[in-house]
Amino acid sequence: MSRHRNIRNLDEDDYYDDDYYDDDEYYDEDEYYLEQQREQERKKKEEAERKAKENKLKQQKLQQQKLQQQKLKQQQLDDAKKKKAAGGKGGGGISVASAAPKSGGGGIFLGKPPSGFTVESKKNDAATKNNNAQNMPIPQLPPNILASLRSNSTTGEVIRSHLSLVILGHVDAGKSTLTGRLLLSLNHVSQRLLQKYQKAATSIGKSSFALAWFTDEDDSERERGVTIDIGTKFAKTEKFDFTILDAPGHKDFIPNMISGTASADCGLLVVAATTGEFEAGFARGGDASYSGGQTREHIVLSRGLGVTQFVVAVNKLDAAEPAWCQERFEHIKSMVLDFLKQNGFKEARIRFVPVSAYTGVNISNSDKVEDEDGWKALKKWYKGPTLLEALDGFSPAKRGYEKPLRAIVTDVSSEGKHVNVRGRVVQ
């Protein structure tokens, strides 16, 4: 027995209603796309009409503005004609230059000027105004502010001159050690801190670099024994306040040396006196494998960057052969002095001082040096100043406080919301 039986005995045709599937009951797809197309065309037409109206309104506003400007110009011309006519009736205008000479111009008249006077053209007036604007006096600082920049208002003492001192020289000439010795001689660092550095330097096998650690504060510099970046310290002598810039001597860090030298007013050139070391630092370049010593390059660069005064410290003279040899000192002095003069330095602004940065000989008269015999050997033939006395022999920088600020910017860096500018104040 089948599951579904045809109880009503219907044919297959009786199951389907032809009227139900009439085509009129379905939505024509072509008609749908046509309506979409008509809707898009209608929107485009409305957008075009809207833009046309906006353009028409803009043009009307522009025309109104032009008409208003023309009316204003016409009113100004009419007013000028009325004033001119009124001035003509009054007989020659009003003269404001009664004290002016009878010839050569210079009077100001609202009407026709009398004979003997000339009226300058509008072009000349404009040129005069421009010249006056360019030649306007620069605003000056009040006298009380200028006085406070030159002397202390409470004590009346004259403010000390400030100089930026860059330490230059060939690699391993003893620049950082000499800088540390200067700070120690001026009591800007303590003996206790030196002992701490000596102990730490000895532990890594660099006991002779302890003084250099006062300026070489980075771990990589201390491990390598080479100055990489500019080390900045402050020192006070009897005459000046110094900003000491310890520049790197290695040729790989010349850009850092340039940035420090560009901020300096004067220089301390350190030259090693030991046999072979001076010759390597002062050697000429020319070979592709060797560009020459950094002593020559530092001298040339410093002169181009504005340094005009030098103290040349002939260092390590205690390690020369023989020690504290006058002939060795004079030989180095003659060679370096000739090269300095060739590069535009004046001999009157150069001083040579024999020193030993490691033992402290001839750094300062008040020092208790480790090498008493070295002091005695040096004083047999050297009667010149100590290093600190030579530094006090610099000419003070002229600071034009009453003039506009002029500074040479050498570096700009940002830290968070702040911007740091590095450079040298010229005036």
Side-chain angles (χ1 to χ4, degrees), residues 404-410 421-427:
L405 174 66
R406 290 172 56 220
I408 299 173
V409 177
T410 59
V421 180
R422 186 173 186 173
R424 177 173 54 137
V425 176
V426 179
Q427 72 177 19

Side-chain angles (χ1 to χ4, degrees), residues 282-419:
F282 203 67
R284 293 178 178 271
D287 188 2
S289 60
Y290 182 66
S291 59
Q294 296 305 300
T295 304
R296 286 176 176 269
E297 187 171 2
H298 285 195
I299 290 173
V300 174
L301 289 174
S302 61
R303 186 66 185 93
L305 293 169
V307 177
T308 58
Q309 305 180 77
F310 257 132
V311 168
V312 182
V314 182
N315 191 26
K316 301 183 182 181
L317 201 60
D318 55 329
E321 296 180 1
W324 302 106
C325 179
Q326 182 179 3
E327 288 77 11
R328 180 65 172 171
F329 174 75
E330 295 295 339
H331 171 69
I332 293 172
K333 179 179 177 180
S334 63
M335 293 189 67
V336 176
L337 181 61
D338 289 343
F339 190 74
L340 286 168
K341 290 194 291 186
Q342 290 173 11
N343 284 275
F345 288 93
K346 296 181 179 179
E347 187 173 356
R349 294 192 172 189
I350 304 170
R351 290 190 177 188
F352 287 81
V353 181
V355 297
S356 172
Y358 186 71
T359 60
V361 174
N362 206 33
I363 302 297
S364 171
N365 285 323
S366 60
D367 281 347
K368 293 181 180 180
V369 295
E370 304 169 8
D371 186 8
E372 293 291 343
D373 295 334
W375 258 115
K376 295 177 181 178
L378 177 63
K379 291 301 180 182
K380 289 180 180 179
W381 55 270
Y382 180 74
K383 307 300 179 183
T386 62
L387 181 60
L388 287 178
E389 291 172 348
L391 294 179
D392 277 335
F394 281 131
S395 299
K398 296 180 180 179
R399 312 292 186 192
Y401 297 114
E402 69 280 358
K403 297 180 180 179
L405 174 66
R406 290 172 56 220
I408 299 173
V409 177
T410 59
D411 189 20
V412 179
S413 59
S414 60
E415 292 183 3
K417 296 181 180 180
H418 304 284
V419 177

Side-chain angles (χ1 to χ4, degrees), residues 51-125:
K51 288 183 178 179
K53 288 180 181 179
E54 290 180 355
N55 291 332
K56 188 175 181 180
L57 289 173
K58 287 181 180 178
Q59 290 178 359
Q60 288 177 355
K61 288 181 180 179
L62 290 173
Q63 288 178 358
Q64 290 176 359
Q65 290 176 358
K66 287 181 180 179
L67 289 173
Q68 289 176 358
Q69 290 177 358
Q70 290 176 359
K71 286 181 181 179
L72 288 173
K73 287 182 180 179
Q74 189 64 35
Q75 286 180 359
Q76 291 174 357
L77 290 173
D78 293 341
D79 293 341
K81 288 180 181 179
K82 289 178 182 179
K83 289 180 181 179
K84 188 174 181 180
K89 291 178 181 179
I94 301 171
S95 174
V96 193
S98 58
K102 293 184 179 181
S103 61
I108 302 174
F109 305 95
L110 298 179
K112 183 178 179 182
S115 60
F117 286 87
T118 59
V119 180
E120 295 182 354
S121 64
K122 293 182 178 179
K123 291 183 179 180
N124 292 335
D125 292 341

